[in-house]
Amino acid sequence: MSLPTYFLVLIGALFVLELVYFRIADRFNIIDKPNERSSHTRITLRGGGIIFYLGMALWFVLSGFAHPWFFAALSVLAIVSFIDDVHSLPPSIRLIAQISGLLLLCAEWGLFIYPEGWVIVPVALFACAGITNIYNFMDGINGITGGYSLVVLLALLAVDKWALPFADEKMMLAAIASALVFCFFNFRTKARCFAGDVGSVSMAVIVIFLLGQLILASGDLSWLVFLVVYGVDGTLTILHRLQLGERISQPHRKHAFQLLANELHWPHVCVSLLYMSLQAIVCTCCFFFPVWQVLLCASLVLGVAYIVFMKKYFHLHLQRQLVIRAGAQDVLTIAHEQATSEQ
């Protein structure tokens, strides 16, 4: 089967599978209800990002079960994340699943056979866990997970074809096909579905595995530049929240993309396009300049831009929080007065 035919077959199969999942999610009420921390206002089907896992499952079977430890890692994290989307799991279960899955990923990379494995594996675990959680945190508006991932996957495919072969091209095509199908239903003003933890975590594992393959093939950690936009926003937001004395594990709306969507009222699609465009520009630069220079410059520019943006607009978020709290207090006061009058 030629690559174009393979890609089109995957697109068709995944489109059908996504529609089947919608029927299942609707039947079992797997939905996302908006709350005060949400960036959306409509009840929407959750877990549509399961298509990323299904895309890898199709590739795994068609490839003759290549990279079994990677697929095992993806399966562990995807299944636990999907269960968590349906019924919230204790943090301890999620942590055990994450460590187990990432250890399987390290096994796929062969890190345990290195003499320095006792150092490399913990560092890899920490880095992969950080990327996975940032990827999960950054999922909050229509189009951002699917669109941003599509840019990264296309950049990785371009490196594989024209610079340094490092991975199975059909695997990357399967990931791209699943991202395109998901974007069809999510990258719109009124999304048909959200990715859910199963989507953001599954895509994070796929991207991490491919980046790991590229880093091992090239011996250059600078290829992490392919995640620099997410990385700067996610890392600086975590530092900001620590400065504010908040628990970083709690949901929030303090990312730059959330301020753009909620406080500045940018359409979700426009915010997602901004993040995609920034990452696409950075990825393109990697084909013309040394990767480490692109990583350094992009981190500096994006970091300064983030700080300037927050200094100018973060007060809008604080004002919104005060209004929400005042409204909640008014509701409690009214309820108390009603209960008192009834007595």
Side-chain angles (χ1 to χ4, degrees):
M1 185 185 299
S2 66
L3 288 180
T5 303
Y6 174 85
F7 184 68
L8 291 175
V9 168
L10 281 175
I11 288 281
L14 291 171
F15 192 88
V16 172
L17 287 173
E18 187 75 302
L19 291 176
V20 170
Y21 173 74
F22 289 167
R23 296 290 297 272
I24 295 172
D26 188 54
R27 170 69 177 80
F28 292 98
N29 203 35
I30 306 174
I31 58 175
D32 195 305
K33 294 181 180 179
N35 55 48
E36 69 276 6
R37 294 188 180 94
S38 302
S39 297
H40 60 281
T41 58
R42 301 170 67 246
I43 294 176
T44 309
L45 294 177
R46 176 189 291 182
I50 196 173
I51 200 66
F52 305 145
Y53 174 73
L54 295 177
M56 287 296 97
L58 288 176
W59 159 79
F60 184 61
V61 173
L62 293 173
S63 68
F65 310 106
H67 297 301
W69 293 116
F70 156 72
F71 188 72
L74 179 62
S75 297
V76 168
L77 289 167
I79 291 169
V80 171
S81 297
F82 182 72
I83 294 172
D84 191 46
D85 280 332
V86 179
H87 298 291
S88 293
L89 294 173
S92 58
I93 299 296
R94 298 198 300 269
L95 179 61
I96 292 171
Q98 188 171 81
I99 293 174
S100 301
L102 295 180
L103 283 173
L104 289 169
L105 207 56
C106 290
E108 183 62 62
W109 286 327
L111 299 185
F112 293 104
I113 65 174
Y114 284 84
E116 306 84 1
W118 64 276
V119 175
I120 296 174
V121 171
V123 171
L125 279 177
F126 179 79
C128 292
I131 294 171
T132 302
N133 286 303
I134 286 176
Y135 226 97
N136 198 15
F137 293 157
M138 294 294 291
D139 177 38
I141 62 172
N142 300 352
I144 195 165
T145 294
Y148 185 87
S149 301
L150 190 59
V151 169
V152 175
L153 291 168
L154 288 172
L156 287 167
L157 180 62
V159 171
D160 183 78
K161 287 183 70 67
W162 295 306
L164 174 65
F166 66 90
D168 184 347
E169 188 172 342
K170 288 186 175 181
M171 176 186 182
M172 287 187 277
L173 288 176
I176 290 169
S178 63
L180 283 172
V181 170
F182 179 72
C183 283
F184 178 82
F185 294 105
N186 176 260
F187 205 137
R188 54 175 76 180
T189 302
K190 296 181 179 180
R192 179 82 182 274
C193 68
F194 294 143
D197 285 353
V198 64
S200 55
V201 171
S202 294
M203 183 54 77
V205 174
I206 295 167
V207 170
I208 288 170
F209 173 69
L210 291 172
L211 271 176
Q213 292 286 91
L214 176 56
I215 289 168
L216 289 171
S218 64
D220 189 354
L221 284 170
S222 300
W223 288 108
L224 289 172
V225 70
F226 279 6
L227 292 176
V228 71
V229 176
Y230 263 21
V232 169
D233 190 322
T235 302
L236 293 183
T237 299
I238 289 172
L239 294 176
H240 187 198
R241 295 188 68 205
L242 290 174
Q243 181 186 15
L244 295 172
E246 297 181 358
R247 293 177 59 187
I248 60 174
S249 60
Q250 295 298 314
H252 64 96
R253 300 206 320 183
K254 293 182 175 65
H255 285 289
F257 77 86
Q258 291 171 319
L259 265 67
L260 285 169
N262 300 318
E263 276 68 37
L264 298 182
H265 306 294
W266 281 34
H268 286 200
V269 171
C270 293
V271 178
S272 297
L273 284 172
L274 172 64
Y275 275 63
M276 291 170 63
S277 300
L278 290 172
Q279 188 60 64
I281 291 170
V282 171
C283 291
T284 303
C285 289
C286 292
F287 291 92
F288 299 97
F289 304 99
V291 180
W292 69 268
Q293 291 182 8
V294 178
L295 176 60
L296 182 64
C297 293
S299 299
L300 181 62
V301 171
L302 291 170
V304 171
Y306 176 95
I307 293 170
V308 171
F309 176 80
M310 285 297 175
K311 284 185 175 295
K312 186 172 182 179
Y313 294 112
F314 188 69
H315 71 279
L316 297 177
H317 173 76
L318 297 178
Q319 292 171 2
R320 185 187 182 102
Q321 291 300 106
L322 288 173
V323 170
I324 291 173
R325 289 171 185 168
Q329 186 61 46
D330 289 342
V331 171
L332 290 174
T333 301
I334 292 172
H336 177 72
E337 290 175 351
Q338 288 178 344
T340 303
S341 65
E342 289 175 359
Q343 292 176 356

